[in-house]
Amino acid sequence: MLRRLREIMAEPARAQTRLDRLVRTIAANMVADVCSIYLRRAGDQLELFATHGLNSDAVHKTRLRWGEGLVGAIAVSSSPLNLRDAPSHPTFSYRSETGEDPFHSFLGVPILRSGRLLGVLVVQNETERLYTEEEVEALQTVAMVLAEVAASGELIDPAEFDDVDDVLHGPERFSAVGIVEGVGIGRAAFHEPPVQVINLIADDVAAEEERLQDAIEALRKSVDAMLAKMDRRLMGVPREVLETYRMFAHDRGWLNRLREAVLSGLTAEAAVQRVKGENRARMLQSDNAYLRDRLHDLDDLAHRLLRHLAGGGGAEPLNIPDDAILFARTLGPAELLEYDYRKLRGVVLGEGSAASHVAIVARALELPLIARSDDALDRTDANDPVIIDGAAGEVHVRPTADITQAYRAKLELQSERQAAFAAARDLPAVTRDGVEIDLQMNAGLLVDLPHLEETGASGIGLFRTELQFMVSTALPRLPQQVSLYRDVIAAAGDRPVVFRTVDLGSDKVLPYMQHEREDNPALGWRAIRLSLDRPGLMRLQLRALLQASAGRPLQVLFPMITIPEEIEAARHLLDREMERGRRLGQTPPTEVAVGAMIEVPAIAWRLDALLRQVDFISIGGNDLVQFFFAADRTSERIGKRYDLLSPAFLSFLSGIVAGAKAKEVPVSFCGEQASQPLEALGLLATGLRRLSAPATAIGPVKQMVRSLHLSELNAHIAPMLKADQASIREPLRNYAHASGVLI
Ligand code: PEP
Ligand code: MG
């Protein structure tokens, strides 16, 4: 039957003529008295498009609403309906024009494409009987083939769905978690794009079965290999996910359904697609979050299987449209950096959180980012128009013209706001009572550097050197490192730059570097711990920094110092490199300042010992908050549970700041939190006078500073900090509003 259907579909006739022939052929093959095709029209209607056996006058006249009658019920449930006696079914809706009185048995299946309903295919017989499972399967296979005709745009002008309430590709809005602010307007592109299946009907069933078998074997092997040794793309994926992959890859039910689909005459690819479509349709209906999560696994597995069938099995090339909104379940920072950022307009993730490194990279690239939006991932197709609103945490898929217009206006406003900040670039960051605040910028890539000029930041307070390591395919050699650091220094001109030595480990793993799996990577072999254990790596970097800073001051910052002895060891390596440079007659930096990042609470109890060893300290709020509250910074659920703006944390900070000031050691704060004017306000109340934040934050934070009366704030906040409460966010916000502080 499939072969015959393919012939009909290839005929040079009009689509309607082909549809008429299709229903006749299907009816003949299924020994059915009736075969009808209903297609979805705008406004949630299902229209009879072709029939064999019912009254032909009813074609294009009979329409059923969504949920109306048996056909409407199939549409709603997206699953087959097999009835011995249709007229006695409670949802049966009698339509006299169709002349369906004599028919009793009824089998209807949804016509689905990418989990979306395009129509309903029905067969009916006069006799009362239940259709067999094979018949249901066969009709589903036919429906899949029909989906291609239905979606071709020949039968129904796709424009029909353009401005009416578009049911095929209707506008949808998803609320998720906004991580990086900003508006992005573009088209959906998938990090792992689905393979397009073109050949649906098999020429040689046995050969297809063999192809399927081979691909399944290859898939199983790759899943097993992945589990044995996590591959780079899956580094961020929890182990259970991979275990589930394996379970599904060996799941008999799934494999049997695939094989049956092939035996029914589909190509192996079409079989994968069909079974995937069925799973999607079924699982999307489910309210059960666990089941819906499994849908991703099955989807991913199906994509992998398709790639194996295509002969690849490996990664897809990272080709994206010019205005891409990148969708991914999970995405590592290095993976984001593999894309041409000039083409990206935003990122939508199934997972992720504000402090994750992919968010830091997105912020550096000024890409709005939304996380925890699995629903949006499920209900978006490649190339769908998408608008994301990072501040509101909203994803608009296939938005209406109104929404698009509103967001375009918002974008314009945003650029006006940015223009206003740019105009304030040269104004000093001084409070109303004359206190100067040093606003510096975080950076890590060459693309960040022009922001120094644009924002008027006074320097680079944190240069994350590991980003270069993460975008490279191999460990950057000395000349490459020197060259980047020179570029950074050149861009900074007279402004200071603080180079942080590589902060690797945790979620910043290098594909080319051996790294053992850890149960708690954030608490594991990372940052200074890794660097001290790999002195070769560290010395090479220090050498590069010294060479690049020849004849000017160098500031080196060591990450995640837990005990002062770590700074001592790091200093020792630095001294050896300086000695080496002297021996070789190289021009040294005019001065070398050594700094420690305060990211682990323990160091606060040995602060004096640390302060004796360093020239400055910088508080890494992302990690410090994470370890202070024992709350994973990459988990959105936990990450926002405890507030930096709490008396507990702020007084802890005040202690560190006061300690540093007492010893006249400069102190700054370089966590992402300083990018929020309200948070920055709280930080100033702890005595901090130097903040380093992403470039986009300089304007808004400066605006806040210039509207602030600092001693008034201090008087106001003092009792709040003594209060026994979890957060002072609201009272602080109220204070800002009441006293005209622009937050
Ligand atoms: C921090 O922890 O606050 C910090 C600046 O370092 P990173 O975010 O790179 O871990
Ligand atoms: Mg850190």
Side-chain angles (χ1 to χ4, degrees):
M1 165 160 64
L2 282 177
R3 193 144 320 137
R4 179 72 195 114
L5 295 184
R6 179 168 60 179
E7 282 162 21
I8 296 172
M9 291 200 325
E11 282 169 6
R14 282 174 50 232
Q16 181 67 50
T17 315
R18 278 182 283 146
L19 215 55
D20 295 339
R21 286 184 194 148
L22 286 170
V23 284
R24 275 209 298 280
T25 309
I26 299 165
N29 270 278
M30 307 255 329
V31 203
D33 300 320
V34 174
C35 174
S36 312
I37 294 172
Y38 295 81
L39 293 183
R40 193 172 190 169
R41 310 253 9 197
D44 276 348
Q45 300 260 355
L46 291 147
E47 178 179 315
L48 180 64
F49 251 75
T51 185
H52 166 84
L54 296 185
N55 214 333
S56 59
D57 290 346
V59 170
H60 297 307
K61 291 207 183 70
T62 296
R63 281 189 173 205
L64 292 154
R65 285 188 321 280
W66 205 241
E68 187 191 4
L70 301 175
V71 168
I74 293 167
V76 170
S77 68
S78 283
S79 50
L81 200 56
N82 183 0
L83 300 173
R84 182 187 296 278
D85 182 33
S88 62
H89 193 276
T91 39
F92 182 77
S93 160
Y94 177 67
R95 291 301 181 86
S96 56
E97 76 271 12
T98 60
E100 63 181 321
D101 313 52
F103 308 110
H104 287 275
S105 48
F106 172 104
L107 170 62
V109 297
I111 301 174
L112 297 165
R113 197 165 187 263
S114 308
R116 285 211 178 95
L117 188 112
L118 301 187
V120 174
L121 171 65
V122 175
V123 290
Q124 290 170 276
N125 281 84
E126 283 189 30
T127 49
E128 282 191 28
R129 70 172 183 103
L130 265 187
Y131 294 87
T132 63
E133 240 178 65
E134 287 74 47
E135 285 172 312
V136 178
E137 282 276 322
L139 202 64
Q140 282 180 303
T141 302
V142 170
M144 177 177 170
V145 174
L146 287 180
E148 297 307 307
V149 192
S152 68
E154 277 181 81
L155 293 162
I156 299 169
D157 182 359
E160 178 174 327
F161 296 103
D162 272 0
D163 35 42
V164 278
D165 186 17
D166 175 347
V167 286
L168 233 197
H169 298 285
E172 290 192 78
R173 189 186 70 112
F174 302 94
S175 280
V177 180
I179 302 283
V180 181
E181 284 184 24
V183 170
I185 303 183
R187 293 192 165 267
F190 282 79
H191 178 51
E192 295 224 308
V195 176
Q196 217 53 41
V197 178
I198 297 157
N199 252 336
L200 293 172
I201 298 166
D203 287 321
D204 177 349
V205 171
E208 288 304 312
E209 205 190 343
E210 208 178 302
R211 287 185 63 229
L212 178 71
Q213 202 54 50
D214 289 350
I216 288 171
E217 271 313 306
L219 173 76
R220 285 175 171 175
K221 279 207 187 104
S222 74
V223 170
D224 289 347
M226 226 152 62
L227 269 168
K229 177 176 159 282
M230 291 228 203
D231 93 350
R232 185 173 67 85
R233 290 188 151 256
L234 290 161
M235 272 305 184
V237 180
R239 198 165 176 85
E240 314 80 86
V241 173
L242 298 183
E243 293 289 1
T244 317
Y245 278 145
R246 171 142 77 184
M247 201 182 81
F248 278 127
H250 291 266
D251 179 64
R252 281 181 171 275
W254 188 55
L255 300 176
N256 281 343
R257 277 190 292 144
L258 287 172
R259 203 165 296 129
E260 272 159 26
V262 163
L263 291 177
S264 74
L266 294 177
T267 58
E269 285 89 347
V272 176
Q273 196 88 310
R274 199 195 100 187
V275 172
K276 176 175 157 245
E278 285 166 17
N279 283 332
R280 260 184 163 254
R282 215 179 42 235
M283 290 163 112
L284 279 176
Q285 304 290 329
S286 167
D287 293 334
N288 181 327
Y290 178 80
L291 259 188
R292 289 167 63 95
D293 280 351
R294 298 290 74 77
L295 168 67
H296 309 149
D297 301 346
L298 271 177
D299 265 6
D300 286 354
L301 210 52
H303 291 155
R304 277 170 197 280
L305 193 50
L306 285 174
R307 279 204 295 276
H308 280 291
L309 282 166
E316 292 292 312
L318 304 174
N319 255 339
I320 48 168
D322 276 349
D323 53 351
I325 307 276
L326 187 65
F327 281 67
R329 300 259 169 238
T330 56
L331 191 73
E335 287 171 319
L336 176 56
L337 287 167
E338 279 177 64
Y339 287 93
D340 179 353
Y341 68 89
R342 286 163 302 197
K343 291 180 168 182
L344 287 174
R345 297 289 172 272
V347 182
V348 178
L349 297 182
E351 296 166 12
S353 72
S356 64
H357 286 111
V358 68
I360 289 170
V361 172
R363 206 169 282 125
L365 298 175
E366 290 182 49
L367 287 175
L369 185 143
I370 309 264
R372 302 270 302 274
S373 49
D374 272 335
D375 286 353
L377 267 123
D378 286 336
R379 301 186 61 86
T380 307
D381 268 345
N383 255 338
D384 274 350
V386 175
I387 295 176
I388 63 174
D389 181 340
E394 282 181 358
V395 182
H396 298 267
V397 180
R398 303 170 293 271
T400 59
D402 289 3
I403 294 212
T404 310
Q405 207 175 348
Y407 272 102
R408 287 210 186 282
K410 193 167 173 168
L411 254 189
E412 249 162 58
L413 241 153
Q414 211 176 56
S415 54
E416 271 170 34
R417 222 169 101 87
Q418 284 303 335
F421 290 140
R425 186 187 65 173
D426 300 322
L427 297 177
V430 178
T431 64
R432 277 168 43 217
D433 49 341
V435 181
E436 212 172 302
I437 306 298
D438 197 4
L439 290 185
Q440 301 191 331
M441 190 185 98
N442 292 348
L445 297 166
L446 278 177
V447 293
D448 293 327
L449 300 180
H451 299 324
L452 254 181
E453 279 297 330
E454 292 156 21
T455 59
S458 66
I460 297 179
L462 173 69
F463 189 86
R464 293 183 163 100
T465 58
E466 65 276 5
L467 291 186
Q468 182 192 26
F469 287 63
M470 288 159 67
V471 293
S472 310
T473 47
L475 208 66
R477 295 171 170 280
L478 184 71
Q480 292 163 307
Q481 292 189 40
V482 174
S483 149
L484 172 71
Y485 304 150
R486 279 207 179 116
D487 286 345
V488 176
I489 290 166
D494 292 336
R495 285 164 288 216
V497 181
V498 176
F499 286 100
R500 178 177 72 183
T501 61
V502 284
D503 180 13
L504 294 169
S506 194
D507 67 338
K508 290 186 271 198
V509 278
L510 300 180
Y512 46 83
M513 203 166 115
Q514 273 282 315
H515 197 273
E516 271 167 38
R517 211 185 76 82
E518 294 173 287
D519 283 340
N520 295 297
L523 307 178
W525 195 52
R526 53 172 295 206
I528 193 74
R529 304 166 182 182
L530 184 150
S531 297
L532 289 177
D533 290 355
R534 288 280 158 90
L537 178 91
M538 172 92 118
R539 283 183 59 187
L540 193 73
Q541 180 171 36
L542 294 172
R543 193 175 302 169
L545 287 169
L546 289 166
Q547 286 183 17
S549 310
R552 58 161 284 153
L554 166 66
Q555 297 188 69
V556 194
L557 179 62
F558 294 101
M560 230 190 143
I561 299 299
T562 309
I563 49 174
E565 287 74 6
E566 286 164 341
I567 272 289
E568 216 181 296
R571 250 194 192 284
H572 180 64
L573 293 177
L574 181 63
D575 288 343
R576 278 179 62 184
E577 279 310 310
M578 286 168 66
E579 174 53 37
R580 180 182 178 276
R582 267 195 293 276
R583 247 194 352 259
L584 296 175
Q586 289 167 348
T587 315
T590 48
E591 59 184 293
V592 178
V594 170
M597 280 194 83
I598 307 293
E599 300 183 277
V600 181
I603 195 69
W605 280 269
R606 294 188 67 196
L607 194 63
D608 282 351
L610 178 79
L611 294 171
R612 280 195 291 275
Q613 309 240 18
V614 293
D615 304 299
F616 66 98
I617 59 172
S618 187
I619 299 169
N622 304 324
D623 276 314
L624 189 60
V625 166
Q626 137 162 298
F627 297 131
F628 185 80
F629 290 111
D632 184 349
R633 68 190 259 184
T634 65
S635 156
E636 195 56 39
R637 187 168 293 137
I638 296 302
K640 284 216 172 125
R641 210 172 178 108
Y642 310 103
D643 203 347
L644 169 135
L645 292 176
S646 56
F649 187 76
L650 292 178
S651 48
F652 175 61
L653 274 194
S654 303
I656 297 171
V657 175
K661 283 190 173 168
K663 295 283 182 298
E664 294 181 356
V665 174
V667 50
S668 69
F669 182 98
C670 63
E672 300 298 296
Q673 299 98 337
S675 62
Q676 303 300 318
L678 184 62
E679 265 81 348
L681 186 64
L683 291 171
L684 295 182
T686 68
L688 280 160
R689 296 292 176 265
R690 174 177 293 162
L691 305 177
S692 189
T696 43
I698 304 296
V701 173
K702 191 194 279 187
Q703 190 184 49
M704 180 278 286
V705 166
R706 290 177 57 82
S707 62
L708 169 71
H709 196 285
L710 194 59
S711 51
E712 213 181 272
L713 166 77
N714 286 335
H716 202 89
I717 207 170
M720 286 190 216
L721 289 176
K722 290 208 179 73
D724 181 21
Q725 52 197 353
S727 167
I728 57 162
R729 181 168 296 271
E730 281 321 304
L732 196 58
R733 197 195 308 274
N734 292 341
Y735 163 76
H737 287 321
S739 54
V741 179
L742 301 170
I743 50 168

